[in-house]
Amino acid sequence: ADIISTVEFNHTGELLATGDKGGRVVIFQREPESKNEPYSQGEYNVYSTFQSHEPEFDYLKSLEIEEKINKIKWLPQQNAAHSLLSTNDKTIKLWKITERDKRPEGYNLKDEEGKLKDLSTVTSLQVPVLKPMDLMVEVTPRRIFANGHTYHVNSISVNSDCETYMSADDLRINLWHLAITDRSFNIVDIKPANMEDLTEVITASEFHPHHCNLFVYSSSKGSLRLCDMRASALCDKHSKLYEEPEDPSNRSFFSEIISSVSDVKFSHSGRYMLTRDYLTVKVWDLNMETKPVETYQVHDYLRSKLCSLYENDCIFDKFECAWNGSDSVIMTGAYNNFFRMFDRNTKRDVTLEASRESSKPRAILKPRRVCVGGKRRKDDISVDSLDFTKKILHTAWHPTENIIAIAATNNLYIFQDKVNSEMH
Amino acid sequence: MFVRGLKRKCFDGEEDIEGTLAGIKAIPSYNLQRQSLLDMSLVKLQLCHMLVEPNLCRSVLIANTVRQIQEEMTQDGTWQMINTQSTGQTSLDRLVSTDILCRSSREQAEGKHVPGYSTFNKDFEDDQTQDSSETMSTASSVQAPRNLQSNVWEMENPQENRGNFQKSLDQIFETLENKSPNSVEDLFSEVDNSYYDLDTMLTGMMSNTKMGHCDGLETFSSPTTTTSNSNCKSDLNELDHIVEILVES
């Protein structure tokens, strides 16, 4: 199994797609709840696996293009087929996933194996009938959006108009029409005329869930820019700039690095944005540009270890963040296979671990704690014994239910909330 | 041997004589640690030139950190001696631009030469025999930025550049006082422990000119006057020696 590089539920939560470093996409489907066991909820099983991207070689620059899937985004379902976009560093592909569970039998001219019949043996005509067959899931590439990016694509986002989508790399954002592959429009370009002046890159971007003209992009300097495509063709001038002034008491050489936003997500309501930087997650109100409305510490105990984390490059890890369906809880990953959830209403937070040792199937997860010196309880982990190679960068939350998907290196964990109180 | 420290004063342009150290690993001075961070960053950037295609975000962040350190060093006078001896080049020229630091292989294809600090390599033997006069150490550093400037615009082919990088990286390893580590891991394993102290130092105030509080430096023993050379000349010798090695590399 390869390292999982992205996780995404579709709009109903029935399907869960994962992309990995080897360019493969694995789709899981939730089994319908069984009538026999009304309390057991549907589990996710493998539905389809396909190779989305292959390694390529850029001959002009003598560089290899990795096949690692950076992002997957589902299209809203418009017919019996499902569609998703998957992207590596350079190329975005649109895949159509269809099911086939019937096949025609009783052809006049062909036999069961498909070979042409000897016409002299055909004495009567029959009408072919559709007979059920084992379910077959077919995945076909419908569009390939290539050559749109000089730099590495970090985000894709489908517009609420269901006709366009955007792809963002380090310096540019392009707008595509889902049906047109040979043309895209550049809507943001922050490449300086002189590359020597480059000090800031685009780190993530997303369309607003309801307003098809609005999108946001985040930068390595910790700022968010909300842009309105109605304002001009090239949205280099933001409509709103969200930036929190630096806290002078916490200033260090690493201030800029830890302020770099690694992920930005609109809330389902469209009113808020969630950002993740190295040590915190922040909730921003679209109406307030001066500072976030909420800030949650993910692992503040790392603040005194920043130099070591800079040395081993962990400070550059890009963690993602997620909202739950009702926008009341936010989730993000951390080190040591820990992930954190923050309840915005009760202000309570919990640290959980995604590992085989600490969780048997159907066992309830035990909250974990990292102790920072001082009194240490049993089962606490000390900061110095955290495993920084076990990082949870990619997490996803089911659109409506309390089901979460956690990617821990090359393992996928799916946790569900037991709704029936009798089970607790 | 004991550690003697000097309370750090306002960085208002005066020459700041650092707390000198008997043992580096005990309580490193802020400047020394800052220099270590600078070196580490430069090595990171040079290493990323060797990768197939460096991550642009990471390169930009490291380059910004390097620039930040350089700006602070310029402000607090560590680089001021260089400026007074230069022939009209402003301090900003000393600040290495992102393109030079973050050069990716695609830039290589365009033929730009990006030496980073690799051109700062001087003959190690020469430096060792010098006495501690600051003019000598700064004079050699003066030359280096000019090399950097002139080298930026040279057109060299990528093959040569890769060779240069490898060579200069080897030189970095050789000129550092410890033996010649074969890898970056060897290099940093020696100073690993001290980085925890570095964390304490550097995650505190960075360029706060009102140097009233400096938590990391509270561990230093009683302050002494900073101006006279005489009472710590031998320590200065040693410190300059160390700093030269780090800067020259």
PDB file of all heavy atoms in Angstrom, chain A residues 21-41:
ATOM      1  N   LYS A  21       0.465   8.148  -3.400  1.00  0.00           N
ATOM      2  CA  LYS A  21       1.711   8.643  -3.967  1.00  0.00           C
ATOM      3  C   LYS A  21       2.037   7.937  -5.275  1.00  0.00           C
ATOM      4  O   LYS A  21       2.785   8.457  -6.096  1.00  0.00           O
ATOM      5  CB  LYS A  21       2.823   8.382  -2.937  1.00  0.00           C
ATOM      6  CG  LYS A  21       4.017   9.274  -3.057  1.00  0.00           C
ATOM      7  CD  LYS A  21       4.741   9.342  -1.713  1.00  0.00           C
ATOM      8  CE  LYS A  21       6.220   9.614  -1.903  1.00  0.00           C
ATOM      9  NZ  LYS A  21       7.053   8.441  -2.162  1.00  0.00           N
ATOM     10  N   GLY A  22       1.460   6.749  -5.461  1.00  0.00           N
ATOM     11  CA  GLY A  22       1.742   5.994  -6.679  1.00  0.00           C
ATOM     12  C   GLY A  22       0.796   6.335  -7.814  1.00  0.00           C
ATOM     13  O   GLY A  22       0.806   5.664  -8.850  1.00  0.00           O
ATOM     14  N   GLY A  23      -0.038   7.364  -7.620  1.00  0.00           N
ATOM     15  CA  GLY A  23      -0.921   7.783  -8.697  1.00  0.00           C
ATOM     16  C   GLY A  23      -2.221   7.002  -8.774  1.00  0.00           C
ATOM     17  O   GLY A  23      -2.989   7.148  -9.721  1.00  0.00           O
ATOM     18  N   ARG A  24      -2.463   6.158  -7.767  1.00  0.00           N
ATOM     19  CA  ARG A  24      -3.701   5.368  -7.796  1.00  0.00           C
ATOM     20  C   ARG A  24      -4.804   6.074  -7.043  1.00  0.00           C
ATOM     21  O   ARG A  24      -4.569   6.801  -6.085  1.00  0.00           O
ATOM     22  CB  ARG A  24      -3.474   4.013  -7.121  1.00  0.00           C
ATOM     23  CG  ARG A  24      -2.778   2.999  -7.954  1.00  0.00           C
ATOM     24  CD  ARG A  24      -2.840   1.643  -7.298  1.00  0.00           C
ATOM     25  NE  ARG A  24      -2.838   1.720  -5.853  1.00  0.00           N
ATOM     26  CZ  ARG A  24      -3.263   0.750  -5.068  1.00  0.00           C
ATOM     27  NH1 ARG A  24      -3.749  -0.354  -5.615  1.00  0.00           N
ATOM     28  NH2 ARG A  24      -3.217   0.876  -3.759  1.00  0.00           N
ATOM     29  N   VAL A  25      -6.031   5.794  -7.470  1.00  0.00           N
ATOM     30  CA  VAL A  25      -7.204   6.280  -6.744  1.00  0.00           C
ATOM     31  C   VAL A  25      -7.990   5.055  -6.303  1.00  0.00           C
ATOM     32  O   VAL A  25      -8.216   4.134  -7.102  1.00  0.00           O
ATOM     33  CB  VAL A  25      -8.075   7.182  -7.639  1.00  0.00           C
ATOM     34  CG1 VAL A  25      -9.393   7.505  -6.953  1.00  0.00           C
ATOM     35  CG2 VAL A  25      -7.332   8.464  -7.978  1.00  0.00           C
ATOM     36  N   VAL A  26      -8.364   5.023  -5.034  1.00  0.00           N
ATOM     37  CA  VAL A  26      -9.199   3.941  -4.526  1.00  0.00           C
ATOM     38  C   VAL A  26     -10.493   4.577  -4.036  1.00  0.00           C
ATOM     39  O   VAL A  26     -10.471   5.534  -3.269  1.00  0.00           O
ATOM     40  CB  VAL A  26      -8.518   3.197  -3.360  1.00  0.00           C
ATOM     41  CG1 VAL A  26      -9.419   2.078  -2.857  1.00  0.00           C
ATOM     42  CG2 VAL A  26      -7.165   2.652  -3.790  1.00  0.00           C
ATOM     43  N   ILE A  27     -11.614   4.036  -4.515  1.00  0.00           N
ATOM     44  CA  ILE A  27     -12.913   4.573  -4.098  1.00  0.00           C
ATOM     45  C   ILE A  27     -13.595   3.548  -3.213  1.00  0.00           C
ATOM     46  O   ILE A  27     -13.667   2.362  -3.560  1.00  0.00           O
ATOM     47  CB  ILE A  27     -13.797   4.882  -5.317  1.00  0.00           C
ATOM     48  CG1 ILE A  27     -13.065   5.854  -6.251  1.00  0.00           C
ATOM     49  CG2 ILE A  27     -15.131   5.479  -4.873  1.00  0.00           C
ATOM     50  CD1 ILE A  27     -13.825   6.174  -7.509  1.00  0.00           C
ATOM     51  N   PHE A  28     -14.090   4.004  -2.080  1.00  0.00           N
ATOM     52  CA  PHE A  28     -14.828   3.154  -1.158  1.00  0.00           C
ATOM     53  C   PHE A  28     -16.296   3.537  -1.242  1.00  0.00           C
ATOM     54  O   PHE A  28     -16.654   4.689  -1.418  1.00  0.00           O
ATOM     55  CB  PHE A  28     -14.338   3.358   0.276  1.00  0.00           C
ATOM     56  CG  PHE A  28     -12.897   2.987   0.477  1.00  0.00           C
ATOM     57  CD1 PHE A  28     -11.886   3.891   0.167  1.00  0.00           C
ATOM     58  CD2 PHE A  28     -12.548   1.741   0.956  1.00  0.00           C
ATOM     59  CE1 PHE A  28     -10.559   3.551   0.336  1.00  0.00           C
ATOM     60  CE2 PHE A  28     -11.222   1.394   1.138  1.00  0.00           C
ATOM     61  CZ  PHE A  28     -10.220   2.302   0.829  1.00  0.00           C
ATOM     62  N   GLN A  29     -17.150   2.509  -1.053  1.00  0.00           N
ATOM     63  CA  GLN A  29     -18.587   2.789  -1.069  1.00  0.00           C
ATOM     64  C   GLN A  29     -19.179   2.325   0.248  1.00  0.00           C
ATOM     65  O   GLN A  29     -18.811   1.259   0.772  1.00  0.00           O
ATOM     66  CB  GLN A  29     -19.249   2.061  -2.226  1.00  0.00           C
ATOM     67  CG  GLN A  29     -20.723   2.381  -2.379  1.00  0.00           C
ATOM     68  CD  GLN A  29     -21.380   1.507  -3.425  1.00  0.00           C
ATOM     69  OE1 GLN A  29     -21.143   0.295  -3.470  1.00  0.00           O
ATOM     70  NE2 GLN A  29     -22.195   2.101  -4.268  1.00  0.00           N
ATOM     71  N   ARG A  30     -20.114   3.082   0.728  1.00  0.00           N
ATOM     72  CA  ARG A  30     -20.729   2.709   1.984  1.00  0.00           C
ATOM     73  C   ARG A  30     -21.822   1.698   1.728  1.00  0.00           C
ATOM     74  O   ARG A  30     -22.702   1.927   0.894  1.00  0.00           O
ATOM     75  CB  ARG A  30     -21.326   3.949   2.634  1.00  0.00           C
ATOM     76  CG  ARG A  30     -21.728   3.708   4.066  1.00  0.00           C
ATOM     77  CD  ARG A  30     -22.252   4.962   4.675  1.00  0.00           C
ATOM     78  NE  ARG A  30     -22.512   4.762   6.098  1.00  0.00           N
ATOM     79  CZ  ARG A  30     -23.239   5.583   6.820  1.00  0.00           C
ATOM     80  NH1 ARG A  30     -23.777   6.657   6.250  1.00  0.00           N
ATOM     81  NH2 ARG A  30     -23.423   5.347   8.104  1.00  0.00           N
ATOM     82  N   GLU A  31     -21.742   0.602   2.449  1.00  0.00           N
ATOM     83  CA  GLU A  31     -22.773  -0.410   2.296  1.00  0.00           C
ATOM     84  C   GLU A  31     -24.071   0.109   2.872  1.00  0.00           C
ATOM     85  O   GLU A  31     -24.061   0.756   3.917  1.00  0.00           O
ATOM     86  CB  GLU A  31     -22.365  -1.688   3.023  1.00  0.00           C
ATOM     87  CG  GLU A  31     -21.094  -2.315   2.483  1.00  0.00           C
ATOM     88  CD  GLU A  31     -21.203  -2.625   1.002  1.00  0.00           C
ATOM     89  OE1 GLU A  31     -22.283  -3.059   0.580  1.00  0.00           O
ATOM     90  OE2 GLU A  31     -20.217  -2.421   0.278  1.00  0.00           O
ATOM     91  N   PRO A  32     -25.169  -0.162   2.228  1.00  0.00           N
ATOM     92  CA  PRO A  32     -26.443   0.282   2.799  1.00  0.00           C
ATOM     93  C   PRO A  32     -26.667  -0.421   4.141  1.00  0.00           C
ATOM     94  O   PRO A  32     -26.229  -1.550   4.336  1.00  0.00           O
ATOM     95  CB  PRO A  32     -27.494  -0.150   1.775  1.00  0.00           C
ATOM     96  CG  PRO A  32     -26.793  -0.968   0.777  1.00  0.00           C
ATOM     97  CD  PRO A  32     -25.328  -0.860   0.958  1.00  0.00           C
ATOM     98  N   GLU A  33     -27.334   0.260   5.035  1.00  0.00           N
ATOM     99  CA  GLU A  33     -27.523  -0.312   6.361  1.00  0.00           C
ATOM    100  C   GLU A  33     -28.360  -1.567   6.261  1.00  0.00           C
ATOM    101  O   GLU A  33     -29.364  -1.622   5.569  1.00  0.00           O
ATOM    102  CB  GLU A  33     -28.196   0.715   7.272  1.00  0.00           C
ATOM    103  CG  GLU A  33     -27.245   1.850   7.582  1.00  0.00           C
ATOM    104  CD  GLU A  33     -27.859   2.922   8.454  1.00  0.00           C
ATOM    105  OE1 GLU A  33     -28.804   2.595   9.192  1.00  0.00           O
ATOM    106  OE2 GLU A  33     -27.412   4.073   8.369  1.00  0.00           O
ATOM    107  N   SER A  34     -27.921  -2.552   6.981  1.00  0.00           N
ATOM    108  CA  SER A  34     -28.582  -3.850   6.887  1.00  0.00           C
ATOM    109  C   SER A  34     -29.836  -3.831   7.750  1.00  0.00           C
ATOM    110  O   SER A  34     -29.855  -3.339   8.862  1.00  0.00           O
ATOM    111  CB  SER A  34     -27.599  -4.926   7.340  1.00  0.00           C
ATOM    112  OG  SER A  34     -28.271  -5.938   8.003  1.00  0.00           O
ATOM    113  N   LYS A  35     -30.895  -4.420   7.207  1.00  0.00           N
ATOM    114  CA  LYS A  35     -32.142  -4.463   7.978  1.00  0.00           C
ATOM    115  C   LYS A  35     -32.018  -5.417   9.144  1.00  0.00           C
ATOM    116  O   LYS A  35     -32.717  -5.318  10.139  1.00  0.00           O
ATOM    117  CB  LYS A  35     -33.293  -4.905   7.049  1.00  0.00           C
ATOM    118  CG  LYS A  35     -33.537  -3.967   5.888  1.00  0.00           C
ATOM    119  CD  LYS A  35     -34.874  -3.287   5.995  1.00  0.00           C
ATOM    120  CE  LYS A  35     -35.113  -2.200   4.983  1.00  0.00           C
ATOM    121  NZ  LYS A  35     -34.417  -2.247   3.719  1.00  0.00           N
ATOM    122  N   ASN A  36     -31.137  -6.407   9.011  1.00  0.00           N
ATOM    123  CA  ASN A  36     -31.019  -7.417  10.066  1.00  0.00           C
ATOM    124  C   ASN A  36     -30.431  -6.831  11.320  1.00  0.00           C
ATOM    125  O   ASN A  36     -30.765  -7.215  12.428  1.00  0.00           O
ATOM    126  CB  ASN A  36     -30.151  -8.577   9.590  1.00  0.00           C
ATOM    127  CG  ASN A  36     -30.772  -9.254   8.391  1.00  0.00           C
ATOM    128  OD1 ASN A  36     -31.979  -9.200   8.219  1.00  0.00           O
ATOM    129  ND2 ASN A  36     -29.942  -9.853   7.564  1.00  0.00           N
ATOM    130  N   GLU A  37     -29.479  -5.943  11.140  1.00  0.00           N
ATOM    131  CA  GLU A  37     -28.845  -5.334  12.308  1.00  0.00           C
ATOM    132  C   GLU A  37     -29.092  -3.837  12.247  1.00  0.00           C
ATOM    133  O   GLU A  37     -28.264  -3.086  11.745  1.00  0.00           O
ATOM    134  CB  GLU A  37     -27.340  -5.587  12.279  1.00  0.00           C
ATOM    135  CG  GLU A  37     -26.963  -7.047  12.414  1.00  0.00           C
ATOM    136  CD  GLU A  37     -25.505  -7.256  12.035  1.00  0.00           C
ATOM    137  OE1 GLU A  37     -24.652  -6.746  12.758  1.00  0.00           O
ATOM    138  OE2 GLU A  37     -25.239  -7.905  11.008  1.00  0.00           O
ATOM    139  N   PRO A  38     -30.199  -3.433  12.758  1.00  0.00           N
ATOM    140  CA  PRO A  38     -30.565  -2.015  12.612  1.00  0.00           C
ATOM    141  C   PRO A  38     -29.597  -1.066  13.292  1.00  0.00           C
ATOM    142  O   PRO A  38     -29.550   0.097  12.967  1.00  0.00           O
ATOM    143  CB  PRO A  38     -31.961  -1.927  13.237  1.00  0.00           C
ATOM    144  CG  PRO A  38     -32.077  -3.141  14.092  1.00  0.00           C
ATOM    145  CD  PRO A  38     -31.217  -4.189  13.493  1.00  0.00           C
ATOM    146  N   TYR A  39     -28.834  -1.568  14.249  1.00  0.00           N
ATOM    147  CA  TYR A  39     -27.936  -0.655  14.950  1.00  0.00           C
ATOM    148  C   TYR A  39     -26.573  -0.542  14.284  1.00  0.00           C
ATOM    149  O   TYR A  39     -25.785   0.294  14.648  1.00  0.00           O
ATOM    150  CB  TYR A  39     -27.748  -1.097  16.413  1.00  0.00           C
ATOM    151  CG  TYR A  39     -29.038  -1.050  17.188  1.00  0.00           C
ATOM    152  CD1 TYR A  39     -29.427  -2.093  18.009  1.00  0.00           C
ATOM    153  CD2 TYR A  39     -29.890   0.056  17.082  1.00  0.00           C
ATOM    154  CE1 TYR A  39     -30.601  -2.054  18.708  1.00  0.00           C
ATOM    155  CE2 TYR A  39     -31.074   0.101  17.770  1.00  0.00           C
ATOM    156  CZ  TYR A  39     -31.438  -0.955  18.588  1.00  0.00           C
ATOM    157  OH  TYR A  39     -32.612  -0.910  19.275  1.00  0.00           O
ATOM    158  N   SER A  40     -26.295  -1.426  13.360  1.00  0.00           N
ATOM    159  CA  SER A  40     -24.964  -1.316  12.761  1.00  0.00           C
ATOM    160  C   SER A  40     -25.056  -0.430  11.528  1.00  0.00           C
ATOM    161  O   SER A  40     -25.944  -0.590  10.695  1.00  0.00           O
ATOM    162  CB  SER A  40     -24.432  -2.693  12.377  1.00  0.00           C
ATOM    163  OG  SER A  40     -24.750  -2.973  11.040  1.00  0.00           O
ATOM    164  N   GLN A  41     -24.191   0.482  11.460  1.00  0.00           N
ATOM    165  CA  GLN A  41     -24.236   1.410  10.343  1.00  0.00           C
ATOM    166  C   GLN A  41     -23.378   0.908   9.209  1.00  0.00           C
ATOM    167  O   GLN A  41     -22.481   0.113   9.398  1.00  0.00           O
ATOM    168  CB  GLN A  41     -23.774   2.781  10.803  1.00  0.00           C
ATOM    169  CG  GLN A  41     -24.785   3.426  11.712  1.00  0.00           C
ATOM    170  CD  GLN A  41     -24.196   4.584  12.456  1.00  0.00           C
ATOM    171  OE1 GLN A  41     -23.086   4.494  12.934  1.00  0.00           O
ATOM    172  NE2 GLN A  41     -24.935   5.679  12.524  1.00  0.00           N
TER     173      GLN A  41
END
